[in-house]
Structure formats: structure tokens, C-alpha cells
Amino acid sequence: MSPLLHHHPPNHDSFTNIVSGFNWESSKKKGGWYNFLIKSIPEIAASGITHVWLPPPSHSASSEGYLPGRLYDLDASYGTQDELKTLIKEFHGNGIKCVADIVINHRTAERQDSDGRWNIFEGGTPDDRLDWDRSCICIDDTTNSGGTGNPDTGADFNGAPDIDHLNTRVQRELSDWMNWIKTEIGFDGWRFDFAKGYSPDITKLYMGNTMPEFVVGEIWNPLSYGSDGKPNYDQDGHRRELAEWVKAVGGSATAFDFTTKGILQAALVEGELWRLKDSNGGPPGMIGLMPENAVTFVDNHDTGSTQKHWPFPLDKVMQGYAYILTHPGIPSIFYDHFFDWGLKEEISKLAMIRIKNGIKASSTVRILASDADLYVAAIDDKIIAKIGPRYEAGHLVPTNFRIATCGNDYVVWEKQ
């Protein structure tokens, strides 16, 4: 057995289904995003969603929240602290847990020091909590901040000073802040932004100090590519990086399954659905290695939305959802697809089929076909999913299965 499998898996078999509750433009919403989103809670709850991922809550140099400064100041571009508490309370009242976007790899300073360097931080309270100076910035930071702390334990981020997470004051005060937004504001879990910016030991420490109900890390590394410019068939190294991070952080952590997104996207774009079966006969992404720790997705505010860093092909999005909502792992639905693209009904049908048939993060997959134009898989022998343009797949489906839903180049059958 692979050493990666010797871990304590999280308890996500009670069914977990996530929706991202924002996109890259949400901070610009007239009247405030929190006040707007609260109106959508009944629709979200009716679709079997268990967790909503909310945007970074704190004051930030950028309206989207990913260059945070005064962390305790929650009167930010998405709305006020009181509006956020009201929103979370309403989600809780509908049985939905709230995941905060935790941006702590880097931080923007409030003002310059005597040398003109931006390294004097303000926490957003009358006292000195999170009021840091250059001693809390990594000494090898590349933003000319004059940092004098420990060397960075992870990848460099050049948009703002990299925080020294080996500093015990940093560890203590960030843990206190996270516990504050958990107990005072009501957040249940964390999404760690740019989690490769500090070592998994640091993430493990913050998890231990704050005891979140749910944790997912963003470890976004490029796939391996061939000389033809297309992703290589074998992405085992890529998914093992994700699995190693989860293993190092601890068994309750999950990671976004960028491997599955990349392979699924390439398979559909290139008309090469054979990519969806690895050399061992299983799913080729992280869901084929540690499904209970893998959060699958089609797009998010970075890959899609108005940023479009790595967007899923527009005409293939529903095939993407037909895959992630029938397969193991923890599926995450993108706000734009659910609310803005007119796909809510199709996505909701798939989500309810998943719930009805008890498909979980740990469900088993039996791949029945993986040709260029046809992919068919049975999940827990309760449902069968087909994607691809080839129409003739009926010979692979037993007679006691009936069509539960279908759409453009996808069909899902369920056992009668």
C-alpha cells in the first residue's frame, strides 16, 4: 500500500457539497455582496449544498480581498462586519456551514518605516494585536520590505510582503484572529489561499490552534506538459504533490484537486477522454489517490470568472459537472455556473442524484469505457455516468438502470 494512504481520513462521508459564494467581481456589487448573497440562500439550500466558501472578509489593498491589511477590520468591500454576521447566521439557519478564505501568506502594510519601506502593519484594533513591523516579514522577501524575520518556508509571493510564520508572535496572533472570526463572526472552516507559500507544518499548526470543522488548501502547481504543448497523460507526480501536502498537514485537511480539473479539461478540449483512466484503471486525479481529501471543481474565481487564468471550455462545463458530481471526492460548484449561466437546474439535478444515491467522497469507481469520444463509469454500482459525444453507450448499461438526467454530451443512469 502507498504510504500516502496511511493517514486518518476526514469524516466527509456524511456528504459534503460546496458552493463558492462569490466571483472576481463580487466586491463591486452595489448595495454590498453580503446583502445580495443572503437572498440566494434558499436556492443554495434547496440544491443540497452543505458548505459555502465566502470571500476574504478583511480590509484589503485590493477590493477582492487578497491583499489583506487590517485583519480585524471586517468593514470591507463585500459589506460590513454586521452584514457578514447576519449572512452567516442565515446560512447556519439553513443548515449550511461557512468557510472563510484565509489569506495569511502575505500582508499589506499600513504605512512606511523611517527608511520609506512598507513594513508597518496595523491590525485594526485599538490595541497592538497584529501591529507588526519588519521583524515579522521573511528576510528573503522580494518586495523590498526590509524584512528581518526567518527565511520563507514556502513559495515566494511578489505582490505583498511574505509573512514569517516561524515567528511565535505571528503564529499566536494569527491563531487568535482566526479563532475570533470563528467564535465572534461564526465561520466554521478555512480555505487556505496560496497554501504553498508556507510549509504544511505551518498549516498544521494553525489547524491545531483553531480546530476548524473543514479545511481546504489551494496548492496550484502546473501540470506536466509534452513537446506538443498538451498535458502529459501521466500526471501522477502532480496529484502526489497534493496528496503529500494533505498528508503533511494532517488527515482532516483537504486540497483542491487541480489534477482532476486539468486532466478533465484537457480530455474534453482535445477530444481525448481516454485521459480519464490512469494506468491502474482508476481516476487519474487526486480522487484516484485520496478521494476523501480531494475537493473537485470545474472553475473558481481565479481559473474562470473575469480573470480566466485557466478557464474550462464554455460548451463543456456541464460535462465537467456530470463528472465531478457523480464521482468520488468533495465537489465544489462555482458561483457563476450556478447563478449566472442558467445552469442551476442541471447542476441541481446532478447534485440531488448524488445525494439520493448516497455517493460520497469515498465512493468507488469502475470505469467501463475510456475512448477518445466516450467515457462511462459506474460509481458504487448505484449510478452510471457517461460523458462524450458518442451516443451509443447503452450496451454498457444494465437493463435495471434508468436515465436519471441528461444534457449536452452527458447522461446519468441510476439503478432501479
Side-chain angles (χ1 to χ4, degrees):
M1 181 180 285
S2 164
L4 291 174
L5 301 181
H6 288 282
H7 77 296
H8 180 67
N11 183 26
H12 297 311
D13 266 1
S14 57
F15 184 79
T16 305
N17 194 3
I18 305 167
V19 68
S20 63
F22 67 104
N23 63 28
W24 196 246
E25 303 301 319
S26 298
S27 62
K28 304 179 181 71
K29 189 71 177 177
K30 188 176 180 182
W33 185 251
Y34 300 146
N35 289 335
F36 175 77
L37 184 61
I38 200 168
K39 301 169 192 170
S40 302
I41 291 178
E43 296 171 86
I44 293 172
S47 298
I49 301 296
T50 60
H51 292 66
V52 60
W53 160 24
L54 295 174
S58 300
H59 156 266
S60 168
S62 62
S63 66
E64 298 83 11
Y66 290 94
L67 294 174
R70 300 189 297 271
L71 291 178
Y72 276 100
D73 181 358
L74 303 191
D75 291 335
S77 54
Y78 294 97
T80 68
Q81 177 174 314
D82 286 343
E83 289 165 356
L84 175 58
K85 289 178 72 171
T86 299
L87 175 69
I88 291 174
K89 185 178 180 182
E90 191 69 19
F91 270 119
H92 286 167
N94 282 269
I96 297 170
K97 297 185 185 302
C98 297
V99 178
D101 205 323
I102 301 295
V103 187
I104 54 174
N105 168 73
H106 50 274
R107 193 177 168 203
T108 54
E110 185 81 8
R111 59 185 186 275
Q112 296 165 293
D113 67 5
S114 57
D115 296 324
R117 290 175 166 174
W118 290 91
N119 57 27
I120 306 298
F121 299 90
E122 166 58 48
T125 66
D127 56 36
D128 68 349
R129 284 176 290 171
L130 297 170
D131 293 355
W132 301 340
D133 58 19
R134 63 182 183 174
S135 67
C136 296
I137 301 173
C138 295
I139 194 168
D140 50 356
D141 176 61
T142 59
T143 63
N144 192 34
S145 59
T148 61
N150 291 289
D152 201 344
T153 60
D156 180 55
F157 179 85
N158 57 19
D162 279 327
I163 298 304
D164 173 17
H165 289 279
L166 296 177
N167 183 310
T168 54
R169 179 185 176 185
V170 168
Q171 294 174 358
R172 182 180 68 255
E173 294 190 356
L174 283 178
S175 297
D176 287 347
W177 171 71
M178 290 162 70
N179 278 321
W180 178 75
I181 64 169
K182 184 182 169 191
T183 57
E184 176 63 24
I185 308 304
F187 279 109
D188 304 284
W190 316 133
R191 178 259 184 188
F192 284 105
D193 176 70
F194 197 69
K196 66 179 183 179
Y198 39 92
S199 80
D201 289 341
I202 298 298
T203 309
K204 184 176 186 176
L205 180 143
Y206 290 130
M207 280 180 58
N209 288 348
T210 61
M211 302 300 289
E213 185 270 343
F214 180 82
V215 167
V216 59
E218 180 202 30
I219 308 291
W220 185 359
N221 293 320
L223 300 179
S224 65
Y225 286 82
S227 56
D228 59 359
K230 296 197 288 190
N232 290 320
Y233 164 70
D234 184 358
Q235 297 291 339
D236 194 57
H238 189 272
R239 64 177 175 177
R240 283 186 178 277
E241 286 181 341
L242 297 175
E244 290 286 3
W245 181 85
V246 163
K247 184 168 173 281
V249 170
S252 63
T254 69
F256 284 110
D257 190 352
F258 280 93
T259 319
T260 288
K261 184 222 178 359
I263 294 173
L264 182 59
Q265 194 162 303
L268 289 166
V269 168
E270 304 294 342
E272 297 173 344
L273 296 176
W274 45 262
R275 292 175 176 272
L276 296 178
K277 181 179 179 180
D278 70 12
S279 59
N280 298 314
M286 188 185 176
I287 60 169
L289 204 60
M290 293 171 70
E292 291 164 273
N293 301 80
V295 176
T296 53
F297 68 104
V298 173
D299 264 327
N300 60 33
H301 67 282
D302 283 327
T303 64
S305 190
T306 52
Q307 292 200 92
K308 295 184 171 64
H309 289 318
W310 197 26
F312 214 83
L314 303 182
D315 60 336
K316 306 285 196 301
V317 162
M318 278 312 305
Q319 289 182 73
Y321 281 112
Y323 184 91
I324 70 168
L325 285 169
T326 58
H327 279 57
I330 302 163
S332 178
I333 298 164
F334 182 38
Y335 180 91
D336 289 14
H337 297 156
F338 193 77
F339 285 107
D340 296 343
W341 286 33
L343 302 177
K344 179 169 45 180
E345 186 177 340
E346 283 189 85
I347 291 172
S348 295
K349 275 185 186 176
L350 289 166
M352 297 316 287
I353 291 166
R354 182 181 184 89
I355 295 169
K356 177 186 173 186
N357 290 280
I359 306 303
K360 302 183 176 74
S362 60
S363 289
T364 58
V365 178
R366 192 163 50 88
I367 297 174
L368 306 176
S370 58
D371 302 327
D373 58 351
L374 176 70
Y375 172 85
V376 182
I379 300 88
D380 286 348
D381 285 322
K382 293 178 180 177
I383 63 173
I384 294 175
K386 170 257 178 189
I387 61 174
R390 196 198 301 178
Y391 184 75
E392 312 87 18
H395 65 288
L396 297 169
V397 180
T399 55
N400 60 335
F401 278 71
R402 296 286 181 272
I403 291 177
T405 190
C406 59
N408 184 29
D409 290 342
Y410 75 88
V411 184
V412 179
W413 295 264
E414 58 186 0
K415 198 173 190 176
Q416 297 302 296

